[in-house]
Amino acid sequence: MPRRPRVVSNVPALRRAVARWREAHQTIVLVPTMGALHDGHLSLVRLARRRGRRVVVSIFVNPAQFAPTEDFASYPRTFEADLAALAEIGVDLVWAPTAETMYASGFATRIVPEGPAKVGLEDAFRPHFFAGVATVVAKLLIQCAPDLAVFGEKDYQQLKVITQLAADLDLPAKIVGAPIVREADGLAMSSRNVYLSAPQRAAAPTLYRVLCQCAAAIARGEHIARVLDQGGAEIERAGFQLDYLEARDATTLQKVESAAAGPLRLLVAARIGSTRLIDNIAV
Ligand code: AMP
């Protein structure tokens, strides 16, 4: 049986572990997660393994990034199974702070990102989300002081927000993006997929299928707005309520007039029943 990774839940213990590795000039890679680990998360951990000598995985369901109407209380929590999965890969440390450790009583600081956090995608539907993410990720990067931190392209806008955050705050960690891991039928893996009923699960791969169709049509030179209108309609026919399906500049996430502008990214968010799914793809 692989050995259960060491778990620390207070900042001084984390700092002691990291300081020893730093003194030994070992490259430290952080993989932030909210647990309920699936193969998408584990691919990030494997990438981290390849990129550094020491791997820290954080597991923290961050209350600050959930709106009161969202699923913080019911968010899946599978800590023991997460540790077993991480033991298989081999990680050096699991950083599992309590909410009180992250947000001590009297906590009064919030990082409110702009730029890629204000482009009218996730931010339009989850107005407090990126402040919650930026604040917790800044804390994690300061606590762990990694050389690299790995984030999934699954949350593409989040990856851009965090890259900007690290640059703007002179956080020394290099932010590394990792490709999206999908189920065999194309559905992007997500901890929230467990919420889907059988018929919803059967409809869910529509998102990726439509993204692929739209990307191919745009690459062929078809009119972007028309392609996205048709794609959106197809997503709604499958039983989703569409929040957005958009083509954006792949770097800035700004709106684009034509595919000639440079590399594009298609991003989608849609709700089926009470579950909200997001996905994205390069054109
Ligand atoms: P979460 O636990 O949902 O906050 O995700 C933790 C990290 O895993 C984030 O950087 C996500 O972008 C990444 N991630 C989640 N799902 C996937 C996936 N299917 N493929 C690649 N990365 C993912």
Side-chain angles (χ1 to χ4, degrees):
M1 264 258 294
R3 204 158 57 87
R4 189 181 189 269
R6 181 174 168 219
V7 179
V8 297
S9 54
N10 65 79
V11 175
L14 173 68
R15 289 242 160 94
R16 278 195 299 276
V18 170
R20 270 198 302 277
W21 299 334
R22 196 156 289 294
E23 278 159 27
H25 303 290
Q26 296 173 337
T27 307
I28 301 163
V29 191
L30 172 67
V31 183
T33 81
M34 299 203 298
L37 301 183
H38 50 64
D39 282 346
H41 298 114
L42 299 181
S43 76
L44 269 51
V45 178
R46 288 192 196 95
L47 174 65
R49 253 295 50 114
R50 294 194 296 274
R51 296 291 295 267
R53 170 72 179 79
R54 297 290 180 179
V55 176
V56 179
V57 175
S58 66
I59 297 182
F60 179 63
V61 186
N62 175 32
Q65 71 192 62
F66 290 79
T69 53
E70 292 180 349
D71 55 344
F72 175 71
S74 58
Y75 194 84
R77 288 164 172 84
T78 61
F79 192 64
E80 286 306 319
D82 293 348
L83 293 184
L86 294 174
E88 288 286 335
I89 299 176
V91 306
D92 296 281
L93 197 68
V94 171
W95 169 227
T98 61
E100 292 69 36
T101 295
M102 290 301 264
Y103 303 109
S105 90
F107 187 91
T109 301
R110 207 160 65 105
I111 294 175
V112 182
E114 298 189 358
K118 293 272 170 65
V119 294
L121 294 169
E122 283 303 283
D123 49 298
F125 295 89
R126 306 181 75 188
H128 303 290
F129 177 68
F130 286 121
V133 167
T135 305
V136 82
V137 170
K139 283 179 67 81
L140 292 169
L141 291 175
I142 291 166
Q143 291 162 339
C144 300
D147 298 286
L148 292 83
V150 184
F151 295 86
E153 289 184 343
K154 163 79 186 346
D155 300 277
Y156 193 80
Q157 188 181 2
Q158 170 176 283
L159 172 62
K160 298 295 170 192
V161 170
I162 291 165
T163 303
Q164 182 83 45
L165 168 91
D168 290 352
L169 298 186
D170 301 310
L171 299 174
K174 178 177 163 56
I175 306 300
V176 177
I180 301 176
V181 177
R182 301 178 178 283
E183 303 287 355
D185 60 10
L187 174 64
M189 289 189 183
S190 163
S191 305
R192 290 191 167 97
N193 290 350
V194 297
Y195 298 151
L196 299 171
S197 68
Q200 290 167 347
R201 176 64 187 81
T206 304
L207 293 183
Y208 180 59
R209 193 163 41 74
V210 168
L211 284 176
C212 291
Q213 285 166 6
C214 291
I218 291 169
R220 278 196 304 273
E222 290 183 30
H223 187 259
I224 294 179
R226 207 156 37 232
V227 166
L228 296 177
D229 274 350
Q230 286 166 3
E234 186 167 346
I235 288 170
E236 288 181 332
R237 275 198 302 279
F240 283 92
Q241 285 158 290
L242 187 66
D243 282 352
Y244 59 80
L245 170 62
E246 295 216 28
R248 293 295 184 98
D249 181 289
T251 308
T252 63
L253 293 180
Q254 293 296 326
K255 289 189 197 295
V256 288
E257 296 300 326
S258 84
L264 299 185
R265 198 88 188 180
L266 300 187
L267 303 103
V268 67
R271 287 164 287 128
I272 189 157
S274 54
T275 305
R276 188 168 181 281
L277 301 178
I278 61 172
D279 201 349
N280 66 87
I281 181 180
V283 176

